[in-house]
Amino acid sequence: MSFLKAHRRVFLLSLQLGLLVCGAVLHALGAAAQDYNWFVFRNLCLYLCAAVFCLSDFGKRVLLLTFLCAMFVFLSCRPLIDFFRGEVWWEGFQRPDLLFALNSVALSVLTLYAGAMLYVLWEKRRKAAERLPAPPVGNTACADSVRLAALGLYIVTMGFYLYCEFDKLAFMRGRSYLDFYLLYKPSYPGLFGTVSYCMPFALCAYLAALPKKKPALAVLAVYLLSAVPQLVIGIRNPFILNALFVFLYCFLRDRLGGEERWLGRREYWAIAAVLPFVCVGLSVLNYTREGAAQESGNLLEILVDLFYRQGASFWTLCVGHSVLSCLPGAKRNFTFGSMIDYVLYGRIGRKLWGTAPLPSGNSAELAARSHRLSQAISFAGHGGYLEGRGLGSSYLLEVFADYGNAGIVIFSLLMGIFLLYCMDAVRKGWFSRVLILLFLTSLFFVPRAEATDWFAFLIHIYFWLVILACQLGGRVLAWGKIWRKG
């Protein structure tokens, strides 16, 4: 058996090395021929190399593989599909912008891979590769009390969250998809929005306490369905991210061990059976939200079209790079944009520095004042920005705008280390699991979103209030049990 394992390890390492060499050759050919298609296939080789690395130890590297898959869909699949369609996909863009988009992806994939390799080597040196036992937090009286307190908070906050979501649905009656971004203003009190904002914190606090399978699945089902109102409006991302979170949580619970099996053959077969229908539905939504008709009823073409449309973030890299030198407003830091906006334009910031709140809809003022790059590049590079359209963003653009290629290298290297570290951190206790689960709610949207928005909640007072409430509530419940027994 050890002989077969050794040969398998050698084969996988050889395959990774071969793909790296192939990528280097394709890069040289692309540079010599000045043909962008060579760079597209160079990037594909790098993705495959990193994917082989992840599959060689899938249980520990599933988060990295998920991130790479999201990155490929958002940033790389569109030019690849255009190549097979015979399209001249680079027309309309300048060479420096195309090279930035292609090379920044390659640089990031390489350094994600390098960061993960460094973590594996570091882990081996510490002789910590053996599996550690699952923490006992899920089996103690204290954990039971924290779990119950968190569940109570989740029920309350989810109620407020659903109320706020149905307020959006009520507003959208008789209106178009773009009206939501231009005209929507909440009709509920601000307190409702504050409480609903705490819902993911309470959810992850409950799930981090390792509840049993049936109640956990019921909570996860409600969480998944809570994204349906936005799905009806035409906003797909919350539903996709919620579904991915549900899957990864079940996967992590299997990794932590225990008597219950969370993902068996039946579950995987069910996911495989349902997934094509979900993809078709999301593809159809691309058209219906804008009043258009699906061009083809062929299943394969519908699925390809879904991935093609998701790959629009590749053009965001091209357009964003072309307008970086002419953004509205003063020079700003975009990498930590959401956190800076929260500190500068939030209630405390407005009182301390006398700043005015940011406008709620797309506007020239928002593009000039906000530290979110998505607003600035959409204003400078998208003619329909003031009508509610936009380009989105990408961590590659944001860290490059602030720190150049060095920013891409450092950010990706740390991300590669972090995505492997998460699988060990979930064993360290309740609070560590809360953090990791909250990261997973939005981390995989980073290729087409803000670089650091996925951990911006750490500076929000409401997150810490939820943690405090769970701990205090858990202690009160635990003391109550002791008092009743006494």
Side-chain angles (χ1 to χ4, degrees):
M1 186 65 68
S2 59
F3 176 79
L4 291 176
K5 286 184 178 179
H7 273 67
R8 177 178 175 272
R9 191 181 303 113
V10 170
F11 170 74
L12 292 174
L13 287 173
S14 300
L15 184 56
Q16 292 172 56
L17 180 60
L19 288 167
L20 285 174
V21 171
C22 185
V25 171
L26 289 171
H27 177 82
L29 290 172
Q34 295 189 355
D35 188 335
Y36 301 113
N37 287 323
W38 291 110
F39 295 122
V40 171
F41 282 93
R42 172 205 63 189
N43 289 1
L44 181 60
C45 284
L46 297 179
Y47 278 116
L48 290 173
C49 173
V52 170
F53 167 78
C54 294
L55 292 171
S56 65
D57 194 351
F58 180 73
K60 291 184 178 180
R61 301 167 190 175
V62 62
L63 300 183
L64 176 60
L65 181 62
T66 305
F67 188 88
L68 288 167
C69 289
M71 190 175 175
F72 175 77
V73 170
F74 293 140
L75 300 178
S76 297
C77 72
R78 192 161 190 162
L80 187 65
I81 293 172
D82 274 333
F83 170 80
F84 286 109
R85 287 176 172 176
E87 302 284 346
V88 185
W89 53 268
W90 54 85
E91 282 189 340
F93 293 96
Q94 298 296 317
R95 182 174 174 80
D97 304 323
L98 287 163
L99 288 178
F100 165 76
L102 293 164
N103 291 336
S104 63
V105 168
L107 184 61
S108 184
V109 173
L110 272 175
T111 44
L112 280 165
Y113 175 63
M117 290 285 286
L118 285 174
Y119 182 80
V120 170
L121 294 173
W122 173 75
E123 188 183 34
K124 286 181 178 179
R125 289 190 65 179
R126 292 181 64 245
K127 296 181 179 180
E130 64 271 14
R131 277 183 90 173
L132 298 175
V137 62
N139 302 317
T140 64
C142 181
D144 289 339
S145 301
V146 169
R147 187 187 307 122
L148 188 59
L151 179 61
L153 278 175
Y154 172 73
I155 293 172
V156 172
T157 55
M158 177 57 80
F160 279 88
Y161 182 83
L162 290 175
Y163 182 92
C164 296
E165 291 301 292
F166 281 104
D167 179 75
K168 296 173 184 176
L169 274 182
F171 168 82
M172 290 299 291
R173 288 177 184 172
R175 291 186 170 91
S176 68
Y177 169 68
L178 295 178
D179 288 338
F180 177 77
Y181 294 98
L182 285 174
L183 304 175
Y184 175 70
K185 291 183 179 179
S187 63
Y188 49 80
L191 177 63
F192 283 37
T194 299
V195 177
S196 70
Y197 173 76
C198 296
M199 184 273 291
F201 308 149
L203 168 73
C204 293
Y206 171 71
L207 295 174
L210 306 181
K212 292 186 180 296
K213 185 176 179 179
K214 286 186 178 179
L217 290 181
V219 165
L220 288 169
V222 174
Y223 177 64
L224 180 61
L225 293 174
S226 70
V228 171
Q230 291 196 55
L231 195 64
V232 173
I233 293 171
I235 306 172
R236 298 159 303 178
N237 299 328
F239 182 82
I240 296 172
L241 290 173
N242 287 11
L244 184 59
F245 176 83
V246 171
F247 170 77
L248 289 174
Y249 178 75
C250 293
F251 187 91
L252 288 173
R253 288 301 302 268
D254 275 336
R255 287 286 300 171
L256 287 172
E259 298 177 359
E260 296 177 301
R261 184 71 186 272
W262 290 68
L263 290 174
R265 287 185 179 182
R266 290 182 180 179
E267 287 79 6
Y268 281 113
W269 278 112
I271 292 171
V274 170
L275 194 58
F277 296 100
V278 173
C279 290
V280 169
L282 293 173
S283 181
V284 171
L285 190 63
N286 273 320
Y287 295 91
T288 56
R289 69 182 185 180
E290 296 185 12
Q294 183 82 34
E295 295 178 1
S296 173
N298 180 282
L299 177 61
L300 180 60
E301 290 182 2
I302 290 175
L303 293 176
V304 170
D305 183 70
L306 172 66
F307 286 101
Y308 185 79
R309 284 176 167 265
Q310 292 302 306
S313 294
F314 177 81
W315 302 124
T316 298
L317 294 181
C318 297
V319 175
H321 183 264
S322 69
V323 300
L324 282 181
S325 60
C326 56
L327 297 179
K331 175 69 175 176
R332 291 154 284 172
N333 182 282
F334 296 112
T335 303
F336 301 94
S338 60
M339 288 185 277
I340 295 173
D341 278 356
Y342 175 76
V343 172
L344 195 60
Y345 302 119
R347 292 181 182 178
I348 297 175
R350 294 199 300 269
K351 290 180 179 180
L352 290 177
W353 297 291
T355 56
L358 291 172
S360 57
N362 290 5
S363 65
E365 180 188 357
L366 181 64
R369 291 178 57 207
S370 174
H371 291 75
R372 292 180 181 267
L373 184 61
S374 57
Q375 300 295 332
I377 63 171
S378 295
F379 179 82
H382 197 301
Y385 172 72
L386 297 179
E387 284 75 46
R389 299 183 182 273
L391 293 169
S393 187
S394 173
Y395 76 97
L396 293 176
L397 264 177
E398 294 187 353
V399 296
F400 178 82
D402 294 330
Y403 310 110
N405 285 322
I408 295 177
V409 170
I410 295 171
F411 185 92
S412 302
L413 196 71
L414 294 175
M415 184 66 78
I417 295 171
F418 175 75
L419 288 169
L420 264 63
Y421 170 74
C422 284
M423 298 302 293
D424 293 329
V426 292
R427 298 181 178 279
K428 294 190 174 181
W430 175 76
F431 184 66
S432 294
R433 284 193 292 275
V434 173
L435 292 179
I436 298 303
L437 291 176
L438 280 169
F439 294 152
L440 297 185
T441 58
S442 56
L443 175 61
F444 303 107
F445 205 55
V446 167
R448 67 175 305 173
E450 290 85 355
T452 59
D453 198 43
W454 54 279
F455 63 80
F457 67 86
L458 289 171
I459 66 168
H460 290 213
I461 185 63
Y462 303 114
F463 165 69
W464 296 103
L465 288 176
V466 169
I467 296 298
L468 182 62
C470 289
Q471 288 293 317
L472 289 178
R475 289 180 183 274
V476 169
L477 290 171
W479 289 335
K481 288 180 181 179
I482 295 172
W483 182 78
R484 285 196 300 270
K485 287 181 180 179

